[in-house]
Amino acid sequence: MMISQFRWSAAVHIERGRFPHDVVPVNNNCLEPSPFKFSHHATQIQCTFHSSHTSGTEKKKKKKKKLIDPLAYSSSYYYYRKTPEKLRNYMGSQGSEEGGLLLKKPRFLCLHGFRTSGEIMKKQVGKWPESVLQKLDLVYLDGPFPALGKSDVEGIFDPPYYEWFQFNKEFSEYTNFDKCLEYIEDYIIKQGPFDGLVGFSQGAILSAALPGLQTKGVALTKVPKIKFLIIIGGAKFKSPAVADDAYASPIQCPSLHFLGETDFLKPYGLELLEHCVEPTIIHHPKGHTVPRLDEKGLETMMSFIDKIQKALTEKDQQ
């Protein structure tokens, strides 16, 4: 049967008229489905398929139950059999629907600012509208090292506080940087995959450098490539030991950058933009902070999310 003869208007009945909980339809109208294979193994499931346009005689023939090879069933063009891993990859936490198409919810690993924490960043990002937050699957990670000095957020947010690595006053020499990279990679291996990174302050500087370090084979060599970036109050590394690899080639992945008018890192954030192929920018009047979204910023943010959702969904369906 050609796929054109079996469109969404056809009534497909599986297991007494209900789709199994781990199956979603895949609309590949341009493809001819592979024929189902039938065998008699004990692991097979019983299903009946028929179209609402079938004649009475044909219905009687098709009502006869047949045993379907689960392997053929899971790889059919009609359906996408979701193992727990595929389910997470396809939908993130939940996914959304647009025009009958299931859009994947992008999954981001969030890297907090210097001497703060994942929990603090969650509260900072929580100022964004629910319309934004419900479209993203955000996972917050604490830095690998307890804060070695006073935190700028003491009295505003409760401890504990963490840092990703240590650096000198000129921000030109870094301590424990390699351990930081190993720590992030180990977390992604265990808790991933992730589609992108959200970084603020020290976490933003680190996030923006990771795609280049990954391309050069210096970091994250055991995990999938970073596809997207959201950079809040970011900048470039100064030390040639890191910068020469991190910015050896332009940052290819789509990126969203928050630039604060009174942020002391704004000039360095503008320098970072010069290394990005597809940057989207949200300007805000605040300083070095995770800002709320005004009407224009919200529109830009939603447009960026829609763009990466569609890119992920199209890639999964190829």
Side-chain angles (χ1 to χ4, degrees), residues 209-221 223 225-226 245-253:
L210 282 173
L213 296 176
Q214 189 178 42
T215 299
K216 292 288 288 186
V218 177
L220 308 187
T221 58
V223 298
K225 284 190 175 182
I226 298 166
D245 288 326
Y247 317 115
S249 58
I251 299 173
Q252 299 289 336
C253 57

Side-chain angles (χ1 to χ4, degrees), residues 32-102:
E32 180 177 353
S34 299
F36 286 112
K37 300 176 182 180
F38 301 100
S39 58
H40 299 282
H41 297 294
T43 57
Q44 295 160 342
I45 56 173
Q46 292 189 353
C47 302
T48 303
F49 292 80
H50 68 81
S51 167
S52 58
H53 303 291
T54 308
S55 66
T57 304
E58 290 174 334
K59 282 183 180 180
K60 290 181 181 179
K61 293 180 180 179
K62 301 224 174 203
K63 281 184 179 180
K64 183 178 179 181
K65 292 187 177 181
K66 295 181 180 181
L67 295 174
I68 296 177
D69 187 324
L71 181 59
Y73 172 65
S74 64
S75 61
S76 165
Y77 289 125
Y78 292 142
Y79 303 98
Y80 182 87
R81 168 67 76 175
K82 299 179 301 184
T83 61
E85 180 69 16
K86 287 181 179 177
L87 176 59
R88 183 170 63 187
N89 291 348
Y90 187 76
M91 296 178 63
S93 291
Q94 180 179 353
S96 59
E97 189 170 347
E98 181 177 297
L101 180 66
L102 258 176

